[in-house]
Amino acid sequence: MPITAYSKEAAREVDLEQWLMLNHYSIKGDPLLERMPVELREKAARDIECSGCRAHGAMLVAVGRQRGVGRSVSQGHFRFGTAGGANPHHPFCDFYFDEKAPRNADYLVNFASDKSTFTRVVRDLVCRGIRAGHFGQGDIRRMRLWFLDEKTAHAMPLDVTPELLNWCVDMDGARFARELPFQPEHGQMPGFDWTQAAKSEWCRRNAGLFEERPIRVHFRSEAIQRALKLIELKGSATVLDPTALREKYETVVQLSEFAAIYLYHQVGEKPKNHWRIDG
Ligand SMILES: [Zn+2]
C-alpha cells in the first residue's frame, strides 16, 4: 500500500491528497471518499502508476478513522489490484509483497519505509539534487524503471546454501594459517589435527581464489548474517545478478568514498561506517 505513486499527467510522484488536489477534488469535503465520481476513480486507475514498477489499477484508500473518536489511524494511500484479485506489481517491485502479504523482510533495506537511515540519506540527496536542478522527478522515475528492467534482464536463481556460505567463512578464516605443505608422515605425529591440516592444505593449493576475490567482499560470520536470513526466507528466490552492474556499483563506491573523504576534510568529521559500501 504505497503512500505515494507516480502520476503520468503530473509527471511526478504524489500522495493521495496531492493527486486529488491536482484533480480539483477536496478531500476535506469528503474525507472518506464516499462521494467521489466514478470518472475520477477511473482516471486514477489510468493515470497513476506504482512508483516501483509499471503497475496500473490504483484504488484510492481514504484516511482510516477510529470509530467513535474520529481520530485518524491510517494515512490515505494507493492500493494496486485487479478485479480478479491478481497482484499487478512486478515481482521485483518493492511493493509486490505489500499487496500480497505483510512484509517480513528485515533482511532487506526497506526503501518503502520512511523510518530507516538509508531512506533519510537518499531523500536528503534527492532533494538537494532536484533543488540544484541536476535532475527532476521524471528522471528518477526513468531510473527506477531502468533498474527494474536491469533486474529482469539479469535475473538469476539464488542457489547458495547456508552450508556453502558457512564453509566459505570457515575456509577464509583458515587461509592465514602458516603451515608446512602437507607430507604424509605428518600423520604419524601424536594428536595430529587432520581437519586443520586438510583446511590449510586446501587454502594453500587454492590461494589464487582468495586473490581473485574483490577486497570489499568479506567472508566473516558477522558479515553473512543477512545473507543467511535471505537464504532462510527466500531459498529459491530470483535475484539480480550484481556482476551485470559491476561497473556502476564501482562508480557508486568511488563516489561514496570521495564524499566520505571530502566530508572529513571539510568539517573534520571522521567518515562513519554508513558512508562505506562494503561487502
Ligand atoms: Zn509496483
Side-chain angles (χ1 to χ4, degrees), residues 84-101:
N87 186 344
H89 290 279
H90 190 287
F92 289 150
C93 174
D94 279 348
F95 299 104
Y96 182 76
F97 292 103
D98 271 4
E99 303 287 351
K100 217 172 135 193

Side-chain angles (χ1 to χ4, degrees), residues 125-137 139:
L125 288 173
V126 167
C127 290
R128 283 166 196 252
I130 291 176
R131 205 162 47 225
H134 295 310
F135 49 81
Q137 292 219 19
D139 297 312

Side-chain angles (χ1 to χ4, degrees), residues 2 16 32 68 161 168 216 246 262:
L16 180 66
L32 299 179
T161 62
C168 290
R216 290 188 182 85
R246 181 186 294 273
Y262 180 75

Side-chain angles (χ1 to χ4, degrees), residues 5-12 19 45-49 56 141:
Y6 187 77
S7 160
K8 286 190 283 186
E9 191 175 274
R12 66 186 171 100
W19 189 82
R46 285 193 313 273
D47 177 47
I48 296 168
E49 280 185 359
H56 274 101
R141 170 73 178 160

Side-chain angles (χ1 to χ4, degrees), residues 3-274:
I3 301 295
T4 60
Y6 187 77
S7 160
K8 286 190 283 186
E9 191 175 274
R12 66 186 171 100
E13 207 163 303
V14 289
D15 65 22
L16 180 66
E17 206 169 327
Q18 287 167 330
W19 189 82
L20 289 170
M21 215 177 337
L22 287 168
N23 286 279
H24 315 291
Y25 194 78
S26 164
I27 197 167
K28 295 217 167 47
D30 180 18
L32 299 179
L33 304 180
E34 288 168 330
R35 296 187 296 279
M36 223 174 102
V38 175
E39 301 78 53
L40 197 53
R41 288 194 182 276
E42 285 172 354
K43 183 180 175 185
R46 285 193 313 273
D47 177 47
I48 296 168
E49 280 185 359
C50 168
S51 49
C53 68
R54 297 179 179 87
H56 274 101
M59 289 174 273
L60 310 182
V61 183
V63 177
R65 298 207 180 271
Q66 205 169 42
R67 229 173 254 275
V69 192
R71 192 161 52 89
S72 302
V73 289
S74 67
Q75 198 174 344
H77 58 268
F78 302 101
R79 179 168 284 282
F80 290 84
T82 61
N87 186 344
H89 290 279
H90 190 287
F92 289 150
C93 174
D94 279 348
F95 299 104
Y96 182 76
F97 292 103
D98 271 4
E99 303 287 351
K100 217 172 135 193
R103 184 181 285 263
N104 178 19
D106 55 356
Y107 56 93
L108 294 171
V109 174
N110 181 5
F111 284 111
S113 157
D114 63 354
K115 294 195 184 98
S116 78
T117 310
F118 288 102
T119 323
R120 280 199 296 275
V121 171
V122 170
R123 187 192 297 142
D124 181 49
L125 288 173
V126 167
C127 290
R128 283 166 196 252
I130 291 176
R131 205 162 47 225
H134 295 310
F135 49 81
Q137 292 219 19
D139 297 312
I140 295 170
R141 170 73 178 160
R142 280 190 287 281
M143 185 200 70
R144 283 181 154 173
L145 293 180
W146 166 82
F147 188 51
L148 187 74
D149 292 340
E150 290 292 312
K151 283 200 273 190
T152 311
H154 305 290
M156 66 169 196
L158 187 67
D159 59 357
V160 181
T161 62
E163 293 75 27
L164 179 63
L165 210 49
N166 280 313
W167 179 81
C168 290
V169 170
D170 201 17
M171 299 316 280
D172 202 53
R175 79 185 193 281
F176 294 116
R178 293 273 178 265
E179 296 197 13
L180 293 173
F182 178 75
Q183 299 292 336
E185 52 267 41
H186 292 170
Q188 293 299 316
M189 284 162 48
F192 183 72
D193 188 342
W194 283 97
T195 306
Q196 183 56 41
K199 280 185 198 172
S200 300
E201 188 61 13
W202 190 93
C203 293
R204 199 180 63 78
R205 289 188 197 181
N206 296 283
L209 283 179
F210 297 109
E211 281 148 30
E212 285 284 313
R213 185 191 56 179
I215 195 165
R216 290 188 182 85
V217 175
H218 306 294
F219 283 107
R220 291 198 296 261
S221 70
E222 62 275 17
I224 64 162
Q225 291 313 309
R226 288 176 78 187
L228 287 174
K229 188 84 179 162
L230 177 68
I231 295 168
E232 180 197 326
L233 292 171
K234 295 189 153 268
S236 56
T238 303
V239 294
L240 165 72
D241 173 3
T243 58
L245 299 179
R246 181 186 294 273
E247 198 188 312
K248 295 200 163 41
Y249 283 127
E250 282 174 354
T251 309
V252 169
V253 170
Q254 274 180 4
L255 182 65
S256 67
E257 284 179 350
F258 170 79
I261 293 164
Y262 180 75
L263 188 74
Y264 179 63
H265 287 306
Q266 284 295 300
V267 294
E269 192 176 320
K270 202 164 178 262
K272 294 196 176 87
N273 283 339
H274 69 256

